[in-house]
Amino acid sequence: MIDDQVEIPEPKTHSIVTEECLLRANHIGEPVTYKGVTGWIIRYVTTCNHHLLELSTSEARECLALNRSEEEAS
Amino acid sequence: MTISLSSPKYASPESLAFQMYKKQQDRKRRKNPFEPQAEERYFRHNEGTTDYYSHSTVTVDRIVMDVKPVSGGSGLPTGAPAVTNNVLQTIDFAYSGTISELCRNGANYFTGIMANVKYYFGGVQIHGYDIKSNSNDIPDTIGSNDAAVVNPSVDDWQVYTQQSTGEWLGQELVANGGFDNGVDNWVSFDPDGAIHGEDGYCVVTPVNMVNSARGAEQLIPTTIGSTIRLSGFIDATEWGAGSPHIQKRDPSVTMSGVLSGTSGISSGEFVATATSSKIWLRCDGLPTNLTWRVLHDNVSAREVLNVA
C-alpha cells in the first residue's frame, strides 16, 4: 500500500566554473563562493575542464542569496 | 481495376481542366478572413536567478508592461505598483530617469513572465519589447534599441495559444492522455492495483481486496511557479466505493482531486513547485470484488496564464 509522496530530485541546471571558462554568448558569469568552491555561476551545466560544481535551481538561489548577503554585510 | 490518369489533377498545366482544378484547390485551402484565428505566441519565463534583459540606456517617463509574477514585484522597475502573483496583468506607471535593464533592478531579479513592454517619453511611445522572439535577441518594435537576454536558457521560452476568455494556454504536457496508445507513458503506482488500455480508456483495477490507493501515474515537465490546469474524464460507475480522482501528486504539495467520487469531466489548477510534477489517476477504497474498475480518459495538463 502506497500513500506516501515520493521526492523527485531537482535536475542540475546551473554550474559554478573557474574564471578561465569561456562562456557562451549572452552569458555573464557572476562571481560566487558556495560549498567551498569559488568561481562563476552560470545557467547551464558544462562538461569542460573549468567545471567546478553542478547546482539545482534551488541550490543556485541559495548560493546567490548567500553571496548577496555577504556583499551586503561587508 | 484500371488506373486512369484522366483526372484534371494530371492534366496539362496549360489546360482549362487543370486551371479549374487548381482554382478549386486554392479555394479549399483559403483561410476565411471572417473566422477568428487563435493567436499563438511565445512568452519567456525569467528564472530570476541571474537572467534579465539588457538594452542601451534610454530616458523614459512612463512604462506599461504585462507581467505574471511568481514571487512579487521584486526586480521590476522602480515605481512599479504592487502586483498579484500567478496572474498575467498589465501595469502602467510613471518612471523617472534612465533605464537599461528589465527583470533586474539593482541586486533584485524578477521571477516570472514579462511581455509587451512599452516605454514612453513626453506622451509618445519611444520603444517597445513584445518579448516573444524565442531567441536571445529582443527586437525593439518602435525604434532600433534592441534588447538582449543575459544569462539565458532555451527552456525559458514556451509557446501559448490565446483562448476566447483572453487567457493563454501552453502546450499539452501529458503524453497519451487520450489513451489512444493503450497505457503507453503511464505506469501503475501501487502494487495493489493494475492498469491497462481498453477502447481508448485507461482502466484501473484492483489486484487484491485491501484498503489502498491505486492507479496510474505520469511525470510531466513543469516550470517552477507556473500555474497548471489539470483536467480529465472519469467513469466511476463500476467502482463500488471510495473516491476515484485525478490529482497532482508531488513533490511536496498534493492537490486535492479535481474530480472525486463521481463520473464526468472536471478541472482544477495547481502551481508547480518543481521542474517536474507527478499526475495520479487515483482510485481509493476497499474493493469487495475484483471486478471493480474505473475508466479514465482525456487527461490534460497545460500551463495557463490567467488574465487579471
Side-chain angles (χ1 to χ4, degrees):
Chain A
M1 186 187 302
I2 296 175
D3 205 11
D4 295 327
Q5 298 179 35
V6 179
E7 289 288 342
I8 298 168
E10 202 181 335
K12 305 295 184 184
T13 54
H14 295 64
S15 295
I16 295 176
V17 296
T18 65
E19 294 189 355
E20 288 77 40
C21 188
L22 294 173
L23 302 181
R24 291 179 188 167
N26 289 57
H27 268 89
I28 298 175
E30 189 169 319
V32 294
T33 300
Y34 183 63
K35 293 185 178 176
V37 169
T38 298
W40 278 341
I41 187 168
I42 56 175
R43 280 195 69 203
Y44 54 90
V45 173
T46 176
T47 54
C48 68
N49 294 332
H50 310 105
H51 183 103
L52 294 174
L53 192 64
E54 287 182 12
L55 307 176
S56 65
T57 304
S58 54
E59 286 172 326
R61 287 184 193 281
E62 182 185 81
C63 161
L64 291 162
L66 287 171
N67 282 273
R68 278 181 196 131
S69 60
E70 277 176 14
E71 280 172 17
E72 284 162 9
S74 60
Chain B
M1 192 174 85
T2 310
I3 297 171
S4 168
L5 291 178
S6 61
S7 163
K9 184 178 179 180
Y10 303 111
S12 163
E14 291 81 27
S15 69
L16 180 63
F18 181 82
Q19 291 299 322
M20 293 297 285
Y21 166 79
K22 186 171 179 296
K23 190 169 282 244
Q24 186 184 44
Q25 295 306 306
D26 286 348
R27 280 193 183 132
K28 279 185 186 172
R29 292 193 195 103
R30 189 172 58 191
K31 200 181 266 185
N32 182 354
F34 301 105
E35 187 180 306
Q37 304 295 315
E39 192 186 342
E40 208 170 68
R41 61 161 284 172
Y42 279 91
F43 284 100
R44 183 180 172 278
H45 288 258
N46 202 67
E47 189 191 52
T49 49
T50 60
D51 51 338
Y52 60 100
Y53 306 103
S54 172
H55 58 68
S56 296
T57 305
V58 289
T59 302
V60 304
D61 61 10
R62 178 188 167 205
I63 299 175
V64 180
M65 61 172 66
D66 292 340
V67 289
K68 187 211 169 216
V70 171
S71 52
S74 176
L76 290 176
T78 304
V83 289
T84 308
N85 282 345
N86 302 319
V87 173
L88 189 65
Q89 59 217 278
T90 302
I91 55 174
D92 184 344
F93 54 98
Y95 185 87
S96 177
T98 60
I99 187 166
S100 61
E101 293 175 354
L102 288 166
C103 288
R104 182 168 84 158
N105 188 348
N108 296 319
Y109 291 78
F110 175 74
T111 306
I113 290 173
M114 180 180 287
N116 306 325
V117 179
K118 299 178 179 71
Y119 286 166
Y120 292 85
F121 189 75
V124 177
Q125 188 184 349
I126 55 173
H127 298 289
Y129 304 102
D130 292 339
I131 314 181
K132 61 179 184 182
S133 60
N134 190 26
S135 81
N136 296 331
D137 302 317
I138 309 295
D140 178 359
T141 56
I142 300 292
S144 55
N145 188 22
D146 294 351
V149 188
V150 179
N151 294 328
S153 166
V154 289
D155 297 338
D156 294 335
W157 293 97
Q158 285 165 31
V159 70
Y160 298 81
T161 308
Q162 193 169 31
Q163 308 299 298
S164 57
T165 53
E167 67 192 12
W168 294 83
L169 280 182
Q171 301 294 288
E172 180 59 65
L173 301 171
V174 174
N176 189 30
F179 305 102
D180 295 329
N181 297 315
V183 288
D184 288 0
N185 307 104
W186 295 90
V187 292
S188 172
F189 64 76
D190 188 280
D192 295 327
I195 63 169
H196 70 274
E198 187 179 311
D199 299 331
Y201 292 101
C202 169
V203 183
V204 181
T205 53
V207 299
N208 53 35
M209 287 185 277
V210 299
N211 192 14
S212 177
R214 47 177 74 76
E217 74 172 24
Q218 182 177 140
L219 206 58
I220 61 168
T222 47
T223 303
I224 294 171
S226 62
T227 305
I228 307 295
R229 181 169 297 167
L230 178 62
S231 62
F233 168 82
I234 294 177
D235 180 346
T237 51
E238 295 176 75
W239 191 258
S243 56
H245 47 265
I246 299 170
Q247 65 179 185
K248 180 253 182 180
R249 189 56 194 169
D250 68 282
S252 57
V253 179
T254 301
M255 176 193 186
S256 54
V258 299
L259 186 76
S260 185
T262 55
S263 299
I265 301 170
S266 192
S267 69
E269 292 174 7
F270 66 88
V271 176
T273 54
T275 52
S276 60
S277 301
K278 193 178 284 182
I279 304 301
W280 270 18
L281 314 181
R282 175 175 171 173
C283 310
D284 288 10
L286 175 62
T288 55
N289 192 313
L290 291 181
T291 61
W292 283 23
R293 55 194 234 146
V294 175
L295 310 183
H296 288 274
D297 199 7
N298 297 331
V299 180
S300 169
R302 296 175 74 178
E303 185 183 352
V304 58
L305 304 185
N306 288 312
V307 178

